[in-house]
Amino acid sequence: MSGVVVLQQMALIFLLILTGFVLYRKQIISEHASKDLSALVVNICSPGLIIVSMFEDLSSVSRDSVLFVGMIGICFFLFLSVLGLLFVKILKVSAQERVSYILMTVFGNLGFIGIPVALAIIGPESMVYVIVFNFLFNVYIYTFGVMLLKKGISGVKTSFRDMLSPGLIACMAAFCIYWFDIQLPEAVETAAGYYGNACTLLSMLVIGISMADMKVKSVLKNTRLMLFTLLRFAVFPILLALLLKPLLPDFVMRATIVLMAALPVGNLSAMLCNQYGKDSRIIAEGIIVTTLLSVVTITITFLFV
């Protein structure tokens, strides 16, 4: 894929993020409204985009390819877990921040940012693979991720219901639509389209708003976080792209996997930290830094895909 095409798409994404930044600074949108928009994206728009993507012509995506990507996805998350432990040792992360750095390494923003960016850069044919990664993400963060957060905390339980987010339910529904070639009424497709079409704009506005309060100087002074960002979100995705290029001739499959590795730190890790009484400050800073730099890092990474 041409680097110019990716740059154009990421520039548009950045423009939407900047719009949210300006709207918040001009006090056109409040912080309270931002939380409402975030809930709207997570619970309505993103699931709608997942469902409507299954109405595209996906005949070129075989079931064997989907199963193969599923196996790659499992290996992907397991490898990132090991990589997270390695980063903790290399960067000499303190005991209080180890869990945060592991969570930032493993759990990128596969849904909130990953879905609209994959649609913009790679196209609708990538969505089946993105959905597989999102399904594995939800399962893994509520098992491995929660296990990390619960370590040393007594009396905290996680049930299967905690995993049943609207995003995961939408992933399962979309997978069934694809796998069994289910034909739904046109009205359902239209409704899902209305929901999904708002996803990209609203999600980027929320990210821009979250960046409006960023203390740039304090974040830039955190050399460990900046080095971590370079290694995890620039070096690693580029190396992965170079490794996969001779091994995976299918561009859509290869590009999707690389994009999943290049996406910035996910919001859910910070939310879970708050839920289990852990300090989410480092993750919050990581979300802002990696999201802001993702316009550059994803563009550069795709020069090697």
Side-chain angles (χ1 to χ4, degrees):
M1 175 179 285
S2 169
V4 175
V5 175
V6 179
L7 180 59
Q8 287 175 341
Q9 293 298 331
M10 292 308 298
L12 289 173
I13 294 293
F14 178 75
L15 178 62
L16 297 179
I17 292 173
L18 184 62
T19 302
F21 181 93
V22 173
L23 288 174
Y24 181 78
R25 283 294 180 91
K26 295 291 185 180
Q27 298 182 341
I28 297 174
I29 294 181
S30 66
E31 184 177 354
H32 182 74
S34 170
K35 292 178 180 179
D36 292 339
L37 288 176
S38 181
L40 188 63
V41 170
V42 171
N43 295 296
I44 300 294
C45 297
S46 185
L49 184 60
I50 291 170
I51 296 296
V52 78
S53 65
M54 291 301 100
F55 293 100
E56 299 286 343
D57 182 12
L58 301 175
S59 57
S60 61
V61 183
S62 69
R63 288 167 173 77
D64 288 341
S65 297
V66 173
L67 292 174
F68 181 58
V69 168
M71 294 175 63
I72 291 177
I74 293 172
C75 297
F76 175 86
F77 284 108
L78 291 175
F79 177 78
L80 286 180
S81 301
V82 176
L83 189 63
L85 294 171
L86 186 62
F87 281 149
V88 163
K89 290 187 177 181
I90 292 175
L91 299 174
K92 298 180 180 179
V93 177
S94 64
Q96 293 83 358
E97 297 180 350
R98 285 175 187 170
V99 170
S100 295
Y101 273 88
I102 294 173
L103 291 174
M104 287 194 294
T105 302
V106 180
F107 301 109
N109 206 326
L110 273 61
F112 204 75
I113 296 179
I115 292 172
V117 170
L119 199 59
I121 294 179
I122 308 171
E125 61 271 22
S126 68
M127 292 306 296
V128 178
Y129 302 143
V130 175
I131 287 168
V132 170
F133 270 88
N134 270 275
F135 175 81
L136 294 173
F137 171 94
N138 278 275
V139 172
Y140 202 55
I141 196 169
Y142 281 108
T143 51
F144 174 74
V146 169
M147 179 191 73
L148 286 177
L149 291 167
K150 285 172 63 177
K151 193 174 181 180
I153 302 177
S154 59
V156 178
K157 295 182 179 180
T158 303
S159 67
F160 178 72
R161 287 186 62 186
D162 294 329
M163 297 173 59
L164 292 178
S165 65
L168 181 62
I169 294 171
C171 284
M172 292 189 290
F175 184 77
C176 290
I177 292 171
Y178 162 77
W179 193 264
F180 299 108
D181 195 21
I182 298 173
Q183 301 298 317
L184 295 177
E186 186 177 344
V188 176
E189 179 181 355
T190 303
Y194 285 141
Y195 292 138
N197 289 339
C199 182
T200 303
L201 172 61
L202 294 182
S203 59
M204 297 306 125
L205 288 180
V206 171
I207 291 168
I209 293 168
S210 69
M211 291 180 176
D213 289 328
M214 181 178 69
K215 297 179 181 178
V216 179
K217 288 185 179 179
S218 64
V219 173
L220 293 178
K221 286 180 181 178
N222 191 338
T223 54
R224 181 182 287 114
L225 179 61
M226 300 307 292
L227 181 57
F228 166 77
T229 300
L230 175 65
L231 293 173
R232 169 60 183 85
F233 298 97
V235 176
F236 170 65
I238 290 173
L239 290 177
L240 180 63
L242 292 173
L243 175 66
L244 292 179
K245 196 161 190 176
L247 299 177
L248 279 180
D250 187 321
F251 172 79
V252 174
M253 185 186 295
R254 188 172 72 247
T256 304
I257 295 169
V258 173
L259 178 62
M260 295 299 101
L263 290 168
V265 175
N267 303 52
L268 188 53
S269 297
M271 295 178 188
L272 287 175
C273 278
N274 292 330
Q275 180 179 337
Y276 289 99
K278 300 287 186 178
D279 185 8
S280 62
R281 178 182 53 85
I282 290 297
I283 296 182
E285 291 182 356
I287 291 170
I288 293 171
V289 171
T290 57
T291 301
L292 190 60
L293 294 179
S294 65
V295 177
V296 176
T297 55
I298 290 176
T299 301
I300 293 174
T301 297
F302 266 74
L303 294 175
F304 300 90
V305 175

